[in-house]
Amino acid sequence: MTIRPTVRLITLGCAKNEVDSEEIAGVLQQAGYRLDPHTRTPDVIIINTCGFIESAKQESLQVIRDALREKRAGNTQKVIVAGCLVQRMGDALRQILPEVDAFVGVGQMARFAEIVNTARQSQKPLTDIQPPHHRWAEVTTRLRSRTPWSAYLKISEGCDHQCTFCTIPSFRGRHVSKPIERVLEEARWLAQNGAKELNLIAQDTTQYGYDLYRRCMLPDLLRELAQVEGVRWIRIHYAYPSRVSDQLIETMASLPQVVPYLDVPLQHVNRDILRAMRRPGSGATYLRMIERLRTAMPEIAIRTTFIVGFPGETEAQFQELLEFLQQARLDRVGAFLYSRERGTPAAEIPHQVPFRVKRERYDRLMRTQQPISLARNREWVGQEMTVLIEGYSAEGNWAIGRSHRDAPDVDGLVYVRACHAVPGEFVSVRIERAEVYDLFGVPSSETLSSPHPKCPAEKLSGILLPSEAYHGK
């Protein structure tokens, strides 16, 4: 019997990287490799890196060094480094990490079998960094890494925006849409393989189709995806605020499969800061957008992210952001400390905000948002909501799932007592209690007289899910 060479594939960064890794894994599996995240002695370790901000860069470098230690110890033969950090740093990585066997830039998923074969046969280091140009892998080669019922569906790659703080266009290239026929083919394939929730991702989902069809095609795509058999939830991530059009809102509201949820990163609300970021809008225009969304979809959950400590941000401008939070009453808010990235225009702006000030502002922003999040959650107490069950607490007495308000990995959870649903099933839940991020309830079809069980946080730290991940996630 032929022994297949093994690969440990490590994915760092965002959901878009996760999809890239799934395509890489599928290509390698078809070429005869065995993907095994647990083997102690893989033939090849592949690290799909993130290079978005400095902290991600440092994490990637540490994982690479860990892999090289395994190589020196004889536990693996080859270490291949791929993805965003390679594209961003180029030959500088070769100088820092000369023991790496191959460096591969972005957009090379379809060629990975050829790349790995060459690296394994060569004694010389390989560098394959081409100008960013995405090559879509064949749909059926994608090897899923997470639970079958929820899938990320990448609809485009790259970005045409020129935000002054962002490095993405420099290493991901211009915006390139996946042809609509190919998106639908992938959606049908995902549904046939168990996906009930499709999470649409891109650097900017709202620009989808413009490069191919000369108009933004996200509403058209949503209507087509809503007809894919087996798909119950479609969720939109990474919407650009100025492109949340009336047509998009009307389409979302009219399609039951499109959950009332929108991830729309705002980054800030002060007009001068936004102009320095080269981003559109203001707090006032954002409030009007939120009003339009809530008028069309009263149950909508709106997620956003903000950057605190952007160069030149004054206390008054930060206070404007806090006041916006009070007015907008957003469901989900994330925040980042501004990261000074070499090569970006913002890195050269004078009056960089000291780290201690950025940290203090971050803490104040999150403390301001927490009671708002709690109040938004408490509005659901006594109401029923549909929950996608994804696992159980360690003791098995709490089912753990997500509602339409909860995107995978980044939002809250719904804990359901006395629930016996199989993971991957939808359950109607009556909400009994709310906390800052999570909700607690009971299946609405069952009436229970038992007292509410205690639910200590340390007992809810892990969801027991099928072990399918090839990158040890």
Side-chain angles (χ1 to χ4, degrees), residues 389 392 396-399 416-422 427 429 442-443 446 448:
I389 301 300
Y392 282 83
N397 58 336
W398 286 91
V416 189
R417 64 186 176 97
C419 177
H420 307 290
V422 174
V427 175
V429 175
V442 64
E446 300 177 34
L448 302 176

Side-chain angles (χ1 to χ4, degrees), residues 267 303-308 318 321 332-338 361-363 365-366:
Q267 311 302 4
R303 154 169 277 279
T304 194
T305 52
F306 295 110
I307 295 173
V308 297
F318 177 70
L321 179 54
R332 312 294 191 197
V333 172
F336 298 93
L337 277 66
Y338 167 75
R361 288 178 181 172
Y362 170 87
D363 291 341
L365 185 148
M366 297 312 294

Side-chain angles (χ1 to χ4, degrees), residues 374-426:
L374 178 60
R376 295 291 290 172
N377 275 355
R378 282 177 173 168
E379 293 175 8
W380 285 91
V381 173
Q383 297 194 54
E384 293 187 6
M385 60 179 6
T386 300
V387 175
L388 173 58
I389 301 300
E390 297 198 289
Y392 282 83
S393 61
E395 300 86 349
N397 58 336
W398 286 91
I400 306 174
R402 293 182 292 107
S403 72
H404 75 272
R405 303 172 70 242
D406 309 306
D409 306 322
V410 295
D411 291 326
L413 297 169
V414 182
Y415 296 94
V416 189
R417 64 186 176 97
C419 177
H420 307 290
V422 174
E425 288 185 350
F426 290 90

